[in-house]
Amino acid sequence: MATQPSAATPTLERIRTRTARVGVIGLGYVGLPLAVEFARAGFDVTGFDVDSSKADQVNAARSYIPDVADADLAACVRAGKLRATADMAALGAMDAIDICVPTPLRKTKDPDLSYVVKAVEGVAATLKRGQLIILESTTYPGTTDEVVRPMLEAKGLEADVDFFLAFSPERVDPGNQQFNTKNIPKIVGGVGPASTEAAAALYGATVLHVVPVSSTRVAEMVKLLENTFRAVNIGLVNEIALMCHTMDIDVWEVIDAAKTKPFGFMPFYPGPGLGGHCIPIDPYYLSWKARQTGFECRFIELAGQINSSMPHFVVDRVAEALNAFRKSINGSRVHIIGVAYKRDVNDMRESPALDVMELLAKRGARLSYSDPYVPTLSHDGRPLASIDLDEAIAAKPDCAVICTDHAVFDYDALVNSGTLVVDTRNALKQRQGPTIFRL
Ligand SMILES: NC(=O)c1ccc[n+]([C@@H]2O[C@H](COP(=O)([O-])OP(=O)(O)OC[C@H]3O[C@@H](n4cnc5c(N)ncnc54)[C@H](O)[C@@H]3O)[C@@H](O)[C@H]2O)c1
């Protein structure tokens, strides 16, 4: 067994005995489930969020993230294992700190690391010998080494010797009933062997599988490969859907049959476009960084173009559907079914339904929507409230557009009502008829 640098030994010992105090910065879709998992593993956990209302809700044991059950959160809070604060000064008391803040894009599609920088400033202000710092936010290869490390080392301590620094991408899939923070293998890459070992020890005590890799860059790249793989494959299947439409072939039937091949094929599905905080954004972190080295990522750009054209295709299908009944989009009442970016979540970030709504409104449609996960949204600068789907059907809209196929929706009532439907998710499956238009 290798000799540990002296600063790592007490940290590893506290991790081993579950006496380490773990801080999680950013209590959103990623940070809150992770904080709960650390607390369930027996660590003493403090969540930090600039949004004090989130800290208040955690302390009141009220979950605002669908994947975290109130009962699980309450068990951790009542056991005194989890608390939250907006006061970053308490970071100095932590043995390990996980950073889970947003990494959006700027309008120019360049990475916006301002949240990471702000969080790291908070960590640097109280950095202590022996602390383990882990970045979880998705970002371009080199961020941990080139951005985070110098900010922390400016305090006079050396990474991998005096404190420990690693990158571990969060791979959680909100709404997934099978895979969660606990059972998704955790990739860990440190700035050196001591950092990898410390981070692997922390996650090894918390989740079921840990996969150490040789560097922070590899760990950062793993996440971007995974998300680029999805973005490109969704782009491919969206293009196949556009192609099938021109050839009058049912793309959904094609995919269902193709996926019976037991090897060499993995089904991806077309839809109204990409949404969420990962797939529409992360590949651009990679192409931005690659461009710094003179490399153009052609697949990423092409997939981005196809995926972002999908809301336009949906609106064209709505126009075709209405046209078949001698109606125009202009003046029609169009009801959107599901506006969250994907099934059974309440996340609206980058949701393609918003683009579909904007394009329909520009062509003169009068819009309403149903989404039990999204009670209100801002449309055309004004608040718009979700209405119950039965109520919407009873109001006889000119057309309904299924943008997000939440499991709670009753499509029988919709189809039986004879409403004209444009189905972008194949939610209606085998149901056929002159009033049903698929993507
Ligand atoms: N949502 C997902 O499905 C998912 C999956 C895998 C990875 N990720 C990545 O994880 C990271 C976090 O994503 P998320 O979806 O949890 O975001 P989120 O917006 O749900 O949560 C981020 C939280 O960080 C807080 N915050 C921002 N700046 C802060 C600061 N300086 N100090 C303390 N708190 C701060 C915000 O108030 C917010 O509560 C992103 O990099 C994202 O790409 C997200």
Side-chain angles (χ1 to χ4, degrees):
M1 168 116 177
T3 313
Q4 292 302 325
S6 57
T9 310
T11 309
L12 284 172
E13 183 57 18
R14 279 198 282 274
I15 290 171
R16 197 184 60 72
T17 56
R18 309 284 207 278
T19 52
R21 286 155 300 178
V22 179
V24 175
I25 306 183
L27 297 173
Y29 288 93
V30 164
L32 187 61
L34 186 66
V36 166
E37 227 39 80
F38 282 136
R40 283 156 73 125
F43 294 108
D44 187 74
V45 182
T46 306
F48 297 82
D49 203 297
V50 285
D51 179 348
S52 57
S53 72
K54 285 194 175 145
D56 292 345
Q57 289 183 78
V58 170
N59 291 329
R62 270 199 314 272
S63 174
Y64 46 87
I65 299 289
D67 286 347
V68 175
D70 277 332
D72 293 341
L73 181 61
C76 298
V77 173
R78 291 207 189 105
K81 287 289 176 193
L82 175 62
R83 68 207 61 80
T85 177
D87 177 12
M88 303 298 149
L91 284 168
M94 302 295 120
D95 297 299
I97 298 171
D98 244 283
I99 302 174
C100 307
V101 297
T103 42
L105 288 173
R106 299 189 188 283
K107 280 208 162 54
T108 52
K109 290 210 159 71
D110 289 349
D112 175 1
L113 282 189
S114 58
Y115 297 91
V116 171
V117 166
K118 187 95 189 108
V120 176
E121 280 169 2
V123 174
T126 59
L127 186 68
K128 300 271 180 322
R129 201 174 146 76
Q131 270 187 333
L132 165 64
I133 316 299
I134 305 171
L135 180 62
E136 292 232 2
S137 302
T138 307
T139 183
Y140 59 79
T143 308
T144 310
D145 232 19
E146 296 160 11
V147 179
V148 180
R149 182 179 189 155
M151 287 178 69
L152 295 176
E153 288 191 329
K155 304 303 290 184
L157 296 177
E158 191 182 337
D160 213 47
V161 176
D162 302 312
F163 70 95
F164 306 96
L165 176 61
F167 183 81
S168 178
E170 180 51 61
R171 305 161 103 186
V172 76
D173 177 23
N176 192 317
Q177 300 298 316
Q178 194 184 356
F179 295 109
N180 50 45
T181 306
K182 178 89 182 171
N183 65 7
I184 298 172
K186 202 86 181 84
I187 306 285
V188 175
V191 294
S195 297
T196 306
E197 185 180 7
L202 178 67
Y203 290 120
T206 310
V207 303
L208 296 182
H209 307 286
V210 176
V211 184
V213 295
S214 63
S215 67
T216 53
R217 272 164 215 272
V218 169
E220 287 158 340
M221 190 68 180
V222 167
K223 172 74 183 174
L224 293 183
L225 168 62
E226 291 167 2
N227 284 5
T228 300
F229 174 83
R230 282 192 64 74
V232 168
N233 277 289
I234 294 169
L236 171 66
V237 83
N238 275 333
E239 187 170 63
I240 297 284
L242 300 177
M243 196 188 296
C244 281
H245 180 63
T246 67
M247 297 162 90
D248 202 18
I249 296 170
D250 181 344
V251 68
W252 305 97
E253 189 185 350
V254 172
I255 297 167
D256 278 348
K259 77 180 185 195
T260 60
K261 186 177 181 186
F263 53 89
F265 182 82
M266 182 186 281
F268 284 83
Y269 297 94
L274 295 180
H277 187 37
C278 292
I279 312 296
I281 291 175
D282 302 345
Y284 291 106
Y285 268 69
L286 184 53
S287 55
W288 177 86
K289 184 64 180 177
R291 261 201 311 279
Q292 318 291 304
T293 63
F295 190 94
E296 283 299 328
C297 301
R298 288 164 293 173
F299 272 113
I300 292 175
E301 295 305 322
L302 181 59
Q305 282 167 21
I306 295 169
N307 291 330
S308 59
S309 76
M310 292 310 287
H312 295 268
F313 181 61
V314 172
V315 171
D316 286 348
R317 290 295 279 151
V318 174
E320 256 176 72
L322 285 166
N323 194 48
F325 289 83
R326 298 168 195 269
K327 291 182 183 176
S328 64
I329 291 182
N330 196 355
S332 282
R333 287 180 304 119
V334 180
H335 187 71
I336 307 294
I337 300 178
V339 294
Y341 87 87
K342 71 169 183 177
R343 182 178 234 249
D344 298 346
V345 303
N346 64 355
D347 195 345
M348 288 292 293
R349 289 176 294 182
E350 316 286 328
S351 176
L354 296 177
D355 294 329
V356 169
M357 290 176 79
E358 195 183 318
L359 292 169
L360 285 169
K362 268 194 191 146
R363 293 210 202 171
R366 288 147 60 206
L367 296 168
S368 54
Y369 82 96
S370 296
D371 193 321
Y373 293 94
V374 184
T376 58
L377 56 77
S378 168
H379 171 62
D380 221 2
R382 282 194 299 275
L384 186 65
S386 169
I387 55 176
D388 182 70
L389 184 54
D390 288 339
E391 216 179 287
I393 296 168
K396 298 193 182 309
D398 296 296
C399 181
V401 185
I402 302 174
C403 280
T404 310
D405 53 343
H406 293 309
V408 295
F409 289 136
D410 175 3
Y411 300 112
D412 284 339
L414 178 68
V415 172
N416 294 339
S417 70
T419 306
L420 180 60
V421 185
V422 173
D423 178 5
T424 72
R425 302 279 188 180
N426 198 27
L428 303 184
K429 306 277 185 264
Q430 308 305 330
R431 297 174 181 97
Q432 304 284 349
T435 57
I436 296 175
F437 288 69
R438 287 189 172 73
L439 197 67

